[in-house]
């Protein structure tokens, strides 16, 4: 078995040129696309993009609605601070906040 020898610069450039020619030959052998196929692909891509845009808008709307619901629930859950609360009402509100915190932890 002959020992391995490093290819020279000329050999490397010749190999690169041959590889380039082979790639070009392979590319030229490929039949060109007909206008009907191109139009069909563009229509399919446009339909896919429209579906994605609709899905994105629905997701954004659902997120905004969830955000609004959470904000409304948070506002409703806030204890109404009135000046005339008795001690028992204050204790009940405090206990309700404590129970809510405990429930969120679980």
């Amino acid at each position: 078995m002959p020992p391995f020898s490093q290819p020279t610069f000329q050999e490397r450039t010749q190999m690169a040129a041959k590889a380039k020619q082979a790639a070009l030959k392979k590319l030229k052998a490929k039949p060109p696309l007909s206008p009907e196929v191109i139009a069909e692909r563009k229509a399919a891509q446009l339909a896919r993009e429209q579906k994605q845009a609709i899905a994105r808008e629905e997701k954004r709307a659902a997120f905004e609605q969830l955000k609004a619901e959470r904000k409304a629930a948070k506002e409703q859950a806030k204890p109404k601070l009135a000046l005339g609360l008795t001690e028992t009402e204050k204790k009940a509100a405090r206990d309700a906040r404590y129970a809510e915190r405990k429930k969120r932890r679980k």
Side-chain angles (χ1 to χ4, degrees), residues 18-97:
K18 284 181 185 177
K20 185 177 181 181
Q21 287 300 322
L24 286 173
K25 190 176 182 181
K26 186 177 177 183
L27 184 64
K28 286 180 182 177
K30 191 175 180 181
L33 293 175
S34 66
E36 295 85 26
V37 172
I38 293 173
E40 184 179 317
R41 287 184 183 178
K42 283 185 180 182
Q45 180 182 4
L46 183 62
R48 190 171 45 249
E49 287 175 356
Q50 287 175 345
K51 282 183 184 178
Q52 289 173 350
I54 291 170
R56 207 173 22 251
E57 288 300 319
E58 288 175 353
K59 187 176 180 181
R60 185 176 296 135
F63 179 72
E64 292 296 326
Q65 182 181 3
L66 178 66
K67 209 162 113 175
E69 288 173 0
R70 285 184 180 171
K71 187 175 181 180
K74 190 175 181 180
E75 289 295 323
Q76 189 178 16
K78 279 187 180 177
K80 305 291 187 243
L81 296 178
L83 298 175
L85 288 179
T86 63
E87 289 300 317
T88 56
E89 291 172 334
K90 288 180 184 177
K91 184 180 183 317
R94 197 169 46 244
D95 291 343
R97 286 194 308 268

